[in-house]
Amino acid sequence: MHPTLDARTVFYSFSPDLKPALRVDQNQEFILKTLDCFSGQIKSDQDLLDRLDWNHVNPATGPVFISGAMPGDIIGFDILGIKLGHDSRVVVAPGEGVPGEMISSMETVVLKHRENFLDFNGLAMLPFKPMVGVIGVAPKDRTIPNGTPERHGGNMDCRIITTGSRVYFEVEVEGALFGCGDLHSAQGDGEIGVSGAETSGEVRLKGTVYPKLKGLPTPFVETEDMVATIFSAESSDEAVRGAVKNMIHFLNHFAGISVNHAAMLMSMAGNLCFCQVVDPLKTVRFEFPKKVLPVLHVLNG
Ligand code: CA
Ligand code: ZN
């Protein structure tokens, strides 16, 4: 049985003042049971966004203290498994999300989880694409509400953060003080309407410090076949620039590729993607395929 935190052990802001709820060793698997981003407040199609107690949104389960993780270290969290809850909810509201001005009334749809798909009231069948929306570590000198994505992670709503991915952060506080929540059973790039298919569930993880990766531009994601930088900023333009610059920096410092060649390779083989454009800061990622550069196998380990 892996060390487990239940879904009542949540926090709403990443902060250096958080008290560890669980202590684990590096490479030790642990399980976090999570609430949906509305803390379970939206149960039926009749529960609209104006019913929400906004002090209890975007809960993350944790914090988890990883032994030996010291400020300045790069820590990678492997997502080993995701279990989704029994249903999901998606919402719209006037003024919210990219199409906010086209939306004249609030609406909630609760989607049933069928065996192989999400049931949108019989109107549409969506494939399950589980992902973790909020994931991060405590920043050293600030308190950041879980709804905001930044360098420490947070509400990045990045759909490649899923089973089989490793998410790297720079440790700012001893033990890292890790937490995650806000599972989506499906979400498209951009999350344009302001929510994904929001669900509860559980995540199985392990965290490990990678001394060779000191200086990695974080947050950073590694999957079986790609690496990706993630950058959040006030405008999507700034986020685009940040994600691109971080990938150039990564290819330059960790793969020995010149800046010019990195720009060429990224222009030919990389993908610039929106994670989300609806949260307090916008989040962009730059994906680069591993197979293009054999030297990227330095990361495997
Ligand atoms: Ca989210
Ligand atoms: Zn969410």
Side-chain angles (χ1 to χ4, degrees):
M1 196 42 199
H2 302 300
T4 301
L5 284 182
D6 68 33
R8 286 167 303 182
T9 315
V10 296
F11 60 90
Y12 295 92
S13 294
F14 284 91
S15 151
D17 304 324
L18 292 170
K19 298 282 171 284
L22 178 68
R23 288 171 185 267
V24 296
D25 290 325
Q26 289 180 43
N27 266 313
Q28 182 182 10
E29 292 183 23
F30 58 95
I31 291 173
L32 301 183
K33 299 192 175 185
T34 60
L35 296 173
D36 68 59
C37 71
F38 304 119
S39 299
Q41 296 180 76
I42 293 191
K43 293 185 172 64
S44 78
D45 293 4
Q46 279 68 53
D47 297 332
L48 302 175
L49 269 193
D50 62 352
R51 299 262 186 94
L52 271 191
D53 165 4
W54 289 94
N55 291 318
H56 293 94
V57 294
N58 293 310
T61 303
V64 182
F65 183 103
I66 314 292
S67 66
M70 299 304 289
D73 285 345
I74 298 295
I75 189 164
F77 289 91
D78 284 293
I79 298 177
L80 301 167
I82 297 176
K83 280 189 195 162
L84 300 172
H86 299 298
D87 58 16
S88 295
R89 63 276 304 124
V90 61
V91 299
V92 290
E96 296 290 339
V98 180
E101 62 193 34
M102 301 174 72
I103 289 166
S104 50
S105 60
M106 288 181 284
E107 187 169 349
T108 296
V109 172
V110 173
L111 298 98
K112 293 182 187 68
H113 290 190
R114 306 294 186 196
E115 198 175 5
N116 295 315
F117 63 94
L118 285 158
D119 183 351
F120 188 86
N121 278 346
L123 183 74
M125 302 186 306
L126 294 94
F128 285 109
K129 289 189 175 169
M131 55 161 279
V132 183
V134 170
I135 183 167
V137 299
K140 70 168 175 292
D141 46 16
R142 286 177 312 147
T143 292
I144 305 175
N146 288 358
T148 301
E150 276 202 40
R151 265 212 67 201
H152 73 297
N155 193 15
M156 299 184 289
D157 288 322
C158 173
R159 66 175 180 78
I160 65 168
I161 298 182
T162 184
T163 304
S165 304
R166 182 183 294 156
V167 190
Y168 297 92
F169 299 103
E170 184 178 340
V171 177
E172 296 195 35
V173 172
E174 185 181 355
L177 303 180
F178 172 85
C180 74
D182 184 27
L183 300 185
H184 297 171
S185 46
Q187 184 217 295
D189 273 341
E191 200 186 26
I192 61 103
V194 90
S195 88
E198 308 289 340
T199 189
S200 57
E202 67 177 64
V203 188
R204 186 163 56 90
L205 304 127
K206 63 176 184 175
T208 309
V209 168
Y210 293 88
K212 283 189 197 154
L213 296 181
K214 229 169 209 179
L216 188 75
T218 53
F220 191 93
V221 181
E222 181 181 6
T223 72
E224 197 186 345
D225 49 15
M226 67 164 117
V227 291
T229 51
I230 295 181
F231 199 94
S232 300
E234 296 261 338
S235 73
S236 28
D237 274 359
E238 279 172 273
V240 163
R241 254 193 312 278
V244 166
K245 283 182 171 176
N246 278 357
M247 183 58 80
I248 290 180
H249 175 86
F250 166 73
L251 291 173
N252 188 227
H253 284 75
F254 290 88
I257 309 293
S258 73
V259 169
N260 288 11
H261 288 179
M264 288 173 182
L265 291 169
M266 286 164 60
S267 201
M268 293 186 289
N271 288 314
L272 183 64
C273 308
F274 290 110
C275 296
Q276 59 74 27
V277 293
V278 295
D279 293 333
L281 299 182
K282 320 298 175 217
T283 305
V284 164
R285 71 178 181 276
F286 194 92
E287 301 178 349
F288 193 79
K290 283 181 177 175
K291 66 173 186 289
V292 168
L293 273 175
V295 64
L296 288 185
H297 292 294
V298 288
L299 281 177
N300 293 331

